Amino acid sequence: MLLLDILEKKTDDGVYIIAEIGQNHQGCLEVAKKMILKAKEAGCHCVKFQKSNLPAKFTRSALARDYVSENAWGKTYGEHKEYLEFSKEQYQELQAYSQELNLDFTASAMDELSLDFLADLKVPFIKIGSGDANNFPLLKKASGLGLPLVISTGMQTLQTVDKIVSIMEDAGKSDYALMHCVSAYPTPPKDCNLRLISMLKQRFPNVIIGYSGHELGVAITQAAVLLGARIVERHFTLDKNQKGSDHRCSLEPLELKSLIVAIESFKLQKLPLAAHEIIAVLGNGQELEEALRYTGEKKILPCELPCRNKLGKSLVAARSLHKGHKLQLKDVAIKVSEPNGLPAETYFDIVGKELTDSVSEDEPITGNMVKF
Ligand SMILES: CC(=O)N[C@H](C=O)[C@@H](O)[C@H](O)[C@H](O)COP(=O)(O)O
Ligand SMILES: C=C(OP(=O)(O)O)C(=O)O
């Protein structure tokens, strides 16, 4: 199945399934290849990795901070992330292997250099993860690459989602999808907020809506499809008990296969179903009911705050700036910063605002440094 056929609305049949290998390969190329093969055997259409250029994605102090966690692959967060990054040659090898298996191969671009990297690799589409959904310059650049985009919306407000759509519209882009997502690992069923899929479909009738899930099990993702999600992304693992932050909320091969078989059995032309019809189809479980309960507007949920604080993007100084300086866009970069600065969605709001304090290059621009 081609993602583009769904994005260009050439078919109203089929759900495109992405196995998010992410960093569950444990930094090992052979494990990554085995995962690609298992994803193919499970019936996926695409395998996805995460691509970062570390100094472009993180500030120096975010990379230097100690990473004390049972999931750490290094003493500092930078060493941990470096351990999990593949080189260009390794990407090429994984891409060639996926192509042999007739599987789409791509990654999320977690900074502007990684966008260039993936465009050079000629991936079939680029994923923008929730951590960059409020990174408006990255979205603008991505919208100009001539490649389809799949954009997640976890840990963001409705205002930010509206802005993503207006950036895409300004670029004349129609080959993109929005993924409903809640950035909590694992996401408790009551926070899955699945009805936001219907809200997104209504609000943006010309945009394909998908679901990137981080909950345990497969029933809630099946419900997402019955609500009309046309793209599904789930983290994938060979063994949930391995070391690593994402394994627990990932699907093992047999579970992923069972999800795909279930999705293939749905009569997509008859969708979307209402919440009570979904419960009738999938069975009456408390978790499903919680996930389908109407919770109102799209907002940043308390369960997403740990992820937003750890991996959300902030405004940082692109060069050292003095107190009294009036900020221009070229003064500001967007990175994961420790401590956090102003959230990335304020990027355009700070133009012309005066700094009340000096700030060094690569340090966060915080709210109390800017005269609003
Ligand atoms: C928001 C976002 O990027 N989330 C990603 C996709 O879901 C995750 O895979 C993170 O990369 C992962 O959880 C980070 O774990 P650690 O911090 O242990 O490397
Ligand atoms: C963070 C990512 O995705 P999501 O926000 O969909 O979990 C990603 O694809 O790297």
Side-chain angles (χ1 to χ4, degrees), residues 85-97:
E85 248 345 283
F86 285 134
S87 67
K88 179 158 192 186
E89 292 66 34
Q90 289 174 317
Y91 261 87
Q92 285 166 332
E93 192 169 332
L94 294 172
Q95 182 183 42
Y97 183 60

Side-chain angles (χ1 to χ4, degrees), residues 20 48 50 108 110 127 129-130 152 181 185 212 214 233:
E20 159 70 316
K48 188 187 102 40
Q50 293 174 14
S108 38
M110 298 193 148
K127 168 82 190 289
S130 299
S152 265
C181 178
Y185 300 74
S212 174
H214 300 295
E233 178 180 323

Side-chain angles (χ1 to χ4, degrees), residues 12-15 201 222-230 262-263 265-274 277-278 281:
D12 58 4
D13 198 18
V15 175
K201 276 163 60 78
Q222 289 180 43
V225 171
L226 294 174
L227 281 172
R230 296 294 308 282
I263 289 173
S265 75
F266 297 152
K267 302 265 173 298
L268 295 187
Q269 288 81 0
K270 302 228 165 85
L271 303 183
L273 300 185
E277 295 171 316
I278 295 175
V281 172

